[in-house]
Amino acid sequence: MYDMEACPFCRKVREGLSILSLDVTFHPCPKKGLRSRVRIKEKYGDDTTFPVMVDPNTGIELFESDDILAYLFRTYGDGVVPNTLSRDNVLVQLSCALGLLPRFNRGLQAKYSNPPSLPLTLYSYEGSPFCKVVRETLTELELIHTQVSCPRGSLNRQRLYETKGRFQAPYLEDPNTGVELFESKAIVEYLEKVYGVVETPVKYM
């Protein structure tokens, strides 16, 4: 999935992914991004909007949030998009947009970073404000990550509990360093220290 945190259309799709409890690899595409956003624009054109879904299981590529949701629930659910996400519900887009306001567009603009070789793994779900803070940082730093969706009732919660002795989200695993972290504040601090770049990278003669 190619998206950015501070996008109401992307948020709507993430809510669907959370409901379906799907594991999805995210390629953050914030504004002024230099990596995934550039690749998408080069492949599909400068007028391409987000989210963009590429399903490696079927080869399907989709661009509109409503089309993506219809596909996800048809392919991985019971075929019915919940009314809370339905294109016929006029309040859906408004509620998704309002939900982003308190964070003042965090997760919208790219920051300079040094990306790792391997994608990170994040146990997360859309309804958590603590998970949102971490996803904002992942988006701004353009860090590719696989989200293990773990909403209430998800088997992924039980798997994490059985593996780590407790369930708490967000939970980050970094295969590049071997670091494993709970607590949103600790995760954000880690991501910024390890992958963030304080100064603008400039090539000197």
Side-chain angles (χ1 to χ4, degrees), residues 20-172:
L20 292 169
S21 196
L22 295 178
D23 297 354
V24 179
T25 298
F26 282 91
H27 299 254
C29 300
K31 292 184 176 181
K32 300 182 180 180
L34 302 175
R35 301 186 186 100
S36 297
R37 187 183 186 94
V38 171
R39 289 194 292 271
I40 288 295
K41 297 288 186 177
E42 288 177 345
K43 182 176 182 179
Y44 299 110
D46 289 337
D47 59 344
T48 303
T49 58
F50 298 96
V52 174
M53 185 207 75
V54 179
D55 189 341
N57 303 293
T58 62
I60 296 295
E61 301 178 0
L62 292 171
F63 301 88
E64 298 292 335
S65 58
D66 288 324
D67 293 339
I68 293 172
L69 285 169
Y71 168 81
L72 291 173
F73 280 91
R74 182 174 64 250
T75 306
Y76 300 107
D78 60 5
V80 179
V81 177
N83 183 59
T84 53
L85 297 174
S86 172
R87 71 178 72 205
D88 297 324
N89 187 338
V90 296
L91 297 178
V92 171
Q93 207 57 49
L94 177 61
S95 64
C96 287
L98 290 175
L100 299 173
L101 289 179
R103 293 292 297 167
F104 301 105
N105 288 328
R106 285 295 310 271
L108 182 65
Q109 301 284 344
K111 297 179 179 178
Y112 289 108
S113 64
N114 292 315
S117 300
L118 300 173
L120 311 180
T121 298
L122 179 70
Y123 284 74
S124 173
Y125 60 99
E126 187 61 26
S128 166
F130 304 103
C131 295
K132 176 174 174 54
V133 172
V134 173
R135 290 197 309 268
E136 289 171 351
T137 302
L138 289 167
T139 295
E140 292 169 351
L141 297 178
E142 300 182 83
L143 301 179
I144 297 174
H145 58 284
T146 298
Q147 176 176 294
V148 181
S149 298
C150 48
R152 291 182 180 179
S154 170
L155 292 177
N156 288 331
R157 289 195 172 209
Q158 183 62 28
R159 294 189 185 103
L160 182 59
Y161 176 81
E162 292 173 353
T163 303
K164 301 302 174 183
R166 63 167 166 158
F167 171 79
Q168 183 177 329
Y171 168 70
L172 180 80

